[in-house]
Amino acid sequence: MMTRIVGVVGLVAMMAALAGCIDRANAPVLVPVASPVNPPGVTHSLCMSDANAMYDEANKQYDLRAQMTGHRDAVERETNASGAAHRQYLSCVASQGYRPLYAN
């Protein structure tokens, strides 16, 4: 019983230490421009999941077009997918009542 408790405490400590390793340097600051529906952290998480889904879908669509045309370009594929994900993120954030500000 004691080893199980020590194991659980150790697992929680490791998870807390690894949570500090998450890089948030490139995350935008969300500025409210309307009456926000959700807090900024929740909005960012929701919109990032939408953007990730759009990235995957854009890659899948590019692969399907490449099968029909026979033209494959890795740079073009990445550019299309990242652009689609960025547009999805911006539209999602705007629909939640925020405007993202990026530190460049």
Side-chain angles (χ1 to χ4, degrees), residues 31-71:
V31 178
V33 293
S35 55
V37 178
N38 293 314
V42 173
T43 299
H44 180 69
S45 297
L46 289 172
C47 294
M48 281 302 292
S49 64
D50 283 354
N52 288 337
M54 181 57 77
Y55 181 86
D56 294 339
E57 182 63 27
N59 277 333
K60 188 166 70 171
Q61 292 296 322
Y62 184 85
D63 290 339
L64 291 173
R65 279 191 306 272
Q67 283 180 346
M68 290 189 295
T69 62
H71 172 74

Side-chain angles (χ1 to χ4, degrees), residues 5 9 11 17 23 32 38 41 43 50 61 70 83 87 90-91 95 100 102:
I5 293 172
V9 170
L11 180 65
D23 180 23
N38 293 314
T43 299
D50 283 354
Q61 292 296 322
R87 288 187 299 275
L90 291 179
S91 66
S95 72
Y102 294 93

Side-chain angles (χ1 to χ4, degrees), residues 10-22:
L11 180 65
V12 170
M14 183 175 24
M15 289 171 53
L18 289 175
C21 297
I22 297 173

